[in-house]
């Protein structure tokens, strides 16, 4: 099968990115919802910086891509070990229906 080239545009506004230290993931029968959040220590609330909505098939492809990239990162820089710091937010993956 021949691979087609995809031209991807990255605007300056999007290229700056959004920092995220908390993700809330939920799903329905047809979509996965990924809410990317920046939570500051000792604050009672935070705003969603970005919401990504994707099909279950694309969510699984994202999972595979993340696993592959984490493995490559660890091969280059060493094993990633999550810190046990109570003041830092953790990633949340409650699942369930959206």
């Amino acid at each position: 099968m021949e691979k087609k080239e995809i031209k991807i545009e990255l605007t300056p506004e999007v290229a700056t990115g959004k920092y995220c230290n908390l993700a809330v993931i939920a799903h329905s029968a047809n979509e996965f919802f990924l809410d990317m959040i920046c939570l500051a220590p000792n604050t009672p609330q935070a705003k969603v910086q970005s919401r990504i909505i994707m099909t279950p098939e694309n969510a699984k492809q994202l999972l595979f891509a993340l696993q592959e990239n984490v493995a490559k990162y660890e091969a280059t820089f060493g094993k990633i070990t999550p810190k046990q710091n109570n003041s830092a937010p953790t990633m949340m993956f409650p699942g369930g229906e959206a």
Side-chain angles (χ1 to χ4, degrees), residues 8-71:
I8 298 172
E9 179 183 354
L10 182 62
T11 64
E13 300 83 35
V14 174
T16 59
K18 297 282 185 183
Y19 181 76
C20 166
N21 58 8
L22 176 66
V24 176
I25 301 173
H27 65 274
S28 68
N30 298 311
E31 291 97 12
F32 273 74
F33 297 81
L34 292 78
D35 288 339
M36 310 309 283
I37 301 161
C38 180
L39 179 63
N42 303 316
T43 57
Q45 67 183 65
K47 287 185 182 178
V48 172
Q49 299 293 313
S50 182
R51 170 172 275 185
I52 307 298
I53 304 168
M54 57 179 45
T55 65
E57 294 84 3
N58 288 112
K60 193 150 192 182
Q61 289 299 108
L62 176 62
L63 171 66
F64 292 150
L66 282 169
Q67 287 174 326
E68 181 180 334
N69 278 271
V70 167

